[in-house]
């Protein structure tokens, strides 16, 4: 370990942001908002592979477990903030738990250590409701409670939260984090989580296909519409540092529903839509997670408040997916 960086993050400089895992479900939408705030020239995107969507952001191929490559990018592009999104999610993580642990843990430790060495101004890193386990209270799940995750993903997020707090306490690194619930958006497909059904169901409805749900109809989980997730992220990153009392990761809550409840809401617009339930290995993961999150600390410290409920989220998702479908039909003719 080299010099201590305590206090250095207080200096103000023009942000030059690096987003890791930027081509994923969250990264592709968050980048658009960061571009609007900081300018596309100040937002560098990175991922394992080139983005599929056309982008004007500077792109760097980066495997976050490659320490030297990360350091090279930070130094050569004079990065001052990192949004570290690259990860293997819960369901995919169970296919190879050791790989999930390595990518999630080594990636985060590389970013935190880079933050200390390069005296970065701020780091954002998402945690998840997956830190909670069967012994955590389910409704509501408090900010501070029993944390015994059952997936490799959840274990990596729990350990990651403690490392974030460690770098904050030991080195004064300004690292901020949210425990996202399942994220729902229309722009990209999710990357292998237990909450993915709540995105897939919309695509099937709009395509006029039958939906097979991998969770049982009454499995209630906390979810959030992407615009609220992005608002929460940016609000937290803009919040006055002195007001932040949680240095592991903040609980945030928006909407809790079961597959049957979201199906019934979609059916109001697509009356012939049908769903069947065929729970698989993801049911056990979902059964270990909370139903409703107590986010009083986030509301108190930085005024967190979501905008979307189930009804308004479903309406907006269906409207946007229908527009995308109609546009594709026009372009194919
Ligand atoms: P995603 O799977 O859609 O995207 C992750 C991205 O990381 C992908 O583009 C992938 O190519 C990239 N990646 C994987 N391994 C990498 C590596 N070794 N080096 C560099 N890039 C790598 O996931 P997402 O939904 O966008 O999630 C982003 C972050 O938010 C993750 O940390 C995830 O744990 C967290 N999160 C997401 C949700 C959700 O519902 N989507 C919920 C809670 C937390
Ligand atoms: N939505 C994520 C998952 O299902 C939660 O972190 O993995």
């Amino acid at each position: 370990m080299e010099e201590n960086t305590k206090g250095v993050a207080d200096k103000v400089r023009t942000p030059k942001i690096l987003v890791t895992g930027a081509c994923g479900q969250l990264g592709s939408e968050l980048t658009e908002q960061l571009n609007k705030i900081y300018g596309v020239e100040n937002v560098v995107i990175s991922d394992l592979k080139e983005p599929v969507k056309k982008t004007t952001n500077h792109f760097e191929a980066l495997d976050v477990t490659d320490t030297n490559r990360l350091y090279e990018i930070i130094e050569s592009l004079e990065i001052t903030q990192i949004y570290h999104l690259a990860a293997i999610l819960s369901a995919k993580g169970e296919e190879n738990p050791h790989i999930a642990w390595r990518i999630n843990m080594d990636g985060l430790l590389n970013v935190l250590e880079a933050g200390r060495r390069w005296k970065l101004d701020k780091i954002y890193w998402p945690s998840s409701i997956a830190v909670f386990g069967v012994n955590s209270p389910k409704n509501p799940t408090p900010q501070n409670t029993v944390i015994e995750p059952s997936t490799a993903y959840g274990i990596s997020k729990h350990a990651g939260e403690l490392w974030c707090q460690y770098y904050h306490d030991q080195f004064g690194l300004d690292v901020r984090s949210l425990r996202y619930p399942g994220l729902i958006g229309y722009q990209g497909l999710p990357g292998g989580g237990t909450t993915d059904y709540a995105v897939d169901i919309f695509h099937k409805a709009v395509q006029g296909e039958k939906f097979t749900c991998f969770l049982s109809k009454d499995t209630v989980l906390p979810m959030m519409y992407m615009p609220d997730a992005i608002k929460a992220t940016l609000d937290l990153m803009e919040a006055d540092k002195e007001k932040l009392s949680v240095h592991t990761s903040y609980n945030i809550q928006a909407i809790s529903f079961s597959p049957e409840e979201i199906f019934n809401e979609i059916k109001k617009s697509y009356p012939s839509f049908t769903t069947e339930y065929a729970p698989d290995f993801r049911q056990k993961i979902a059964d270990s997670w909370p139903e409703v999150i107590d986010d009083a600390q986030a509301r108190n410290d930085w005024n967190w408040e979501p905008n979307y409920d189930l009804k308004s989220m479903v309406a907006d998702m269906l409207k946007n997916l229908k527009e995308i479908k109609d546009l594709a039909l026009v372009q194919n003719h």
Side-chain angles (χ1 to χ4, degrees):
M1 295 282 165
E2 284 145 27
E3 71 207 89
N4 189 310
T5 64
K6 214 162 214 157
V8 176
D10 292 339
K11 283 185 200 157
V12 179
R13 50 181 169 175
T14 308
K16 185 82 187 274
I17 296 170
L18 172 67
V19 184
T20 72
C23 302
Q25 188 201 7
L26 172 64
S28 47
E29 296 204 41
L30 181 62
T31 300
E32 284 178 16
Q33 291 308 313
L34 292 172
N35 287 347
K36 283 183 193 159
I37 299 170
Y38 299 105
V40 68
E41 68 283 5
N42 291 315
V43 181
V44 176
I45 59 170
S46 70
D47 208 298
L48 291 174
K49 292 184 292 227
E50 298 236 357
V52 182
K53 278 191 199 165
K54 209 172 159 216
T55 174
T56 46
N57 287 87
H58 178 97
F59 173 80
E60 293 283 343
L62 169 68
D63 178 338
V64 291
T65 62
D66 184 342
T67 316
N68 292 337
R69 176 91 182 104
L70 174 69
Y71 287 2
E72 195 181 284
I73 292 170
I74 292 172
E75 193 158 77
S76 64
L77 298 175
E78 300 183 344
I79 298 298
T80 66
Q81 297 188 18
I82 300 182
Y83 285 68
H84 175 49
L85 310 182
I88 302 298
L89 276 75
S90 61
K92 203 170 161 202
E94 293 310 287
E95 286 168 17
N96 196 328
H98 287 201
I99 290 183
W101 172 259
R102 194 173 63 76
I103 291 174
N104 296 358
M105 259 4 279
D106 290 0
L108 176 62
L109 286 173
N110 280 342
V111 167
L112 291 174
E113 187 52 18
R116 188 186 73 82
R117 288 189 187 207
W118 270 271
K119 301 176 174 39
L120 298 185
D121 293 337
K122 282 181 199 174
I123 290 175
Y124 176 73
W125 171 78
S127 183
S128 162
I129 54 164
V131 294
F132 299 112
V134 284
N135 292 323
S136 313
K138 271 185 177 299
N139 186 353
T141 306
Q143 173 71 44
N144 296 308
T145 186
V146 177
I147 293 194
E148 294 170 1
S150 59
T151 57
Y153 173 71
I155 297 170
S156 74
K157 289 294 185 187
H158 179 37
E161 288 187 2
L162 296 175
W163 275 112
C164 288
Q165 180 169 256
Y166 181 86
Y167 268 76
H168 170 270
D169 292 352
Q170 298 299 321
F171 308 118
L173 191 66
D174 189 355
V175 47
R176 305 180 182 198
S177 177
L178 298 172
R179 288 173 180 154
Y180 290 132
L183 303 183
I184 299 172
Y186 58 87
Q187 291 197 32
L189 290 171
T194 304
T195 57
D196 292 11
Y197 91 84
V199 179
D200 297 339
I201 192 170
F202 285 100
H203 288 267
K204 289 288 187 295
V206 172
Q207 295 301 332
E209 293 171 24
K210 183 178 180 175
F211 179 61
T212 303
C213 185
F214 58 72
L215 296 183
S216 68
K217 65 180 181 181
D218 52 359
T219 307
V220 175
L221 287 172
M223 303 277 185
M224 185 174 286
Y225 196 30
M226 194 60 89
D228 273 336
I230 289 170
K231 178 170 104 77
T233 307
L234 299 174
D235 285 356
L236 175 69
M237 289 301 273
E238 285 304 311
D240 184 352
K241 193 174 157 188
E242 308 310 322
K243 293 200 170 145
L244 303 181
S245 61
V246 174
H247 299 290
T248 48
S249 189
Y250 276 98
N251 274 9
I252 45 169
Q253 165 72 20
I255 321 166
S256 289
F257 57 79
S258 66
E260 189 173 43
E261 284 166 325
I262 194 171
F263 166 70
N264 286 335
E265 192 58 39
I266 293 172
K267 212 170 152 63
K268 288 178 188 166
S269 303
Y270 288 82
S272 59
F273 183 44
T274 56
T275 294
E276 64 177 8
Y277 299 91
D280 64 14
F281 73 100
R282 289 167 280 194
Q283 183 65 48
K284 196 173 165 203
I285 300 176
D287 287 342
S288 75
W289 287 357
E291 291 180 0
V292 176
I293 301 289
D294 176 352
D295 60 2
Q297 198 86 42
R299 288 176 185 260
N300 192 49
D301 287 5
W302 45 278
N303 302 321
W304 158 243
E305 202 177 346
N307 286 330
Y308 287 86
D309 59 13
L310 179 61
K311 197 177 163 62
S312 53
M313 177 190 74
V314 169
D316 203 59
M317 276 294 285
L318 292 176
K319 176 177 153 291
N320 281 291
L321 284 176
K322 182 157 183 324
E323 277 172 17
I324 292 169
K325 185 185 167 202
D326 292 347
L327 187 67
L329 283 174
V330 171
Q331 284 169 348
N332 289 336
H333 273 92

